[in-house]
Amino acid sequence: MKQKHQKTLDLVFRKPVSGGIKWVDIEKMFIALGAEVREREGSRIAVFLFNEVRIFHRPHPTPNTDKGAVSGIRKWLESHGVTP
């Protein structure tokens, strides 16, 4: 994993939960972890990782991911042994 993706992973696991992580950086981190990202309807994407599919909603009009989504991503990654 490149240093940029590691920094994003660190931000996902930072406490208190950060609300300033750009969604594009989270998508790139997923891909670095081996995910396949597919476009869905509207601003939704499907992330295929850990033999699972998770549906996420790209934030708009701002590029930042809300705290609830960051928290959910952290729990998902933790449940599969991914930590910073």
Side-chain angles (χ1 to χ4, degrees):
M1 182 181 292
K2 292 183 179 180
Q3 187 174 4
K4 171 75 173 159
H5 305 132
Q6 185 62 48
K7 285 182 181 180
T8 304
L9 185 63
D10 292 341
L11 284 173
V12 168
F13 279 85
R14 189 171 76 183
K15 292 186 181 179
V17 177
S18 175
I21 305 171
K22 296 205 180 309
W23 178 256
V24 69
D25 293 337
I26 290 177
E27 276 190 51
K28 289 177 182 177
M29 178 192 67
F30 285 150
I31 292 167
L33 289 169
E36 181 182 332
V37 177
R38 292 187 187 165
E39 299 292 326
R40 300 288 290 227
E41 51 281 334
S43 58
R44 290 175 184 80
I45 62 164
V47 177
F48 298 86
L49 184 61
F50 311 122
N51 292 318
E52 296 178 15
V53 178
R54 294 287 171 117
I55 305 297
F56 295 98
H57 186 268
R58 283 189 179 123
H60 57 82
T62 67
N64 294 335
T65 309
D66 68 58
K67 292 179 181 184
V70 172
S71 180
I73 291 167
R74 176 174 43 202
K75 288 177 187 175
W76 185 42
L77 295 175
E78 272 182 325
S79 73
H80 292 283
V82 178
T83 57

